[in-house]
C-alpha cells in the first residue's frame, strides 16, 4: 500500500515565531555587546583569537536565527 506524501510542517508552532525572534535577537545583541566590550577593554597582547571567533560565531548564529524568525513572524516565508 503506497502512502501519499506528507505535507511539510514546521517543527515550531507559528505562535512561537514572535517570541523566538525577540529572544534570539536580544541574545544576539547581548553577545555582540560583550564582543565589543571585550575588544575595547583588552590590550592587543591579551586578546585571544579563539575567544573572539567563538563570541562572534555565537552572536552570528543568534542574530541569524532571530532574523529568520522575525521574517517568519511577519509572513515572509523563506
Amino acid at each position: 500500500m503506497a502512502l501519499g506524501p506528507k505535507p511539510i510542517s514546521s517543527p515550531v508552532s507559528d505562535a512561537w515565531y514572535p517570541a523566538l525572534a525577540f529572544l534570539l535577537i536580544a541574545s544576539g545583541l547581548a553577545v555582540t555587546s560583550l564582543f565589543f566590550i571585550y575588544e575595547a577593554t583588552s590590550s592587543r597582547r591579551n586578546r585571544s583569537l579563539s575567544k573572539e571567533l567563538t563570541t562572534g560565531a555565537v552572536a552570528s548564529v543568534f542574530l541569524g536565527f532571530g532574523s529568520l524568525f522575525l521574517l517568519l513572524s511577519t509572513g515572509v516565508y523563506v
Side-chain angles (χ1 to χ4, degrees):
M1 175 194 284
L3 298 174
K6 294 182 181 178
I8 297 174
S9 63
S10 174
V12 179
S13 174
D14 293 353
W16 282 90
Y17 290 167
L20 282 172
F22 177 77
L23 180 69
L24 290 171
I25 289 176
S27 300
L29 290 175
V31 176
T32 302
S33 67
L34 289 175
F35 177 79
F36 282 124
I37 290 170
Y38 176 75
E39 290 294 322
T41 59
S42 64
S43 66
R44 289 187 183 258
R45 293 182 184 173
N46 295 335
R47 289 185 185 162
S48 169
L49 180 62
S50 63
K51 184 173 182 177
E52 291 178 12
L53 289 175
T54 303
T55 308
V58 169
S60 177
V61 167
F62 281 151
L63 289 172
F65 279 108
S67 300
L68 172 71
F69 282 111
L70 181 65
L71 287 170
L72 290 174
S73 68
T74 58
V76 179
Y77 293 103
V78 292

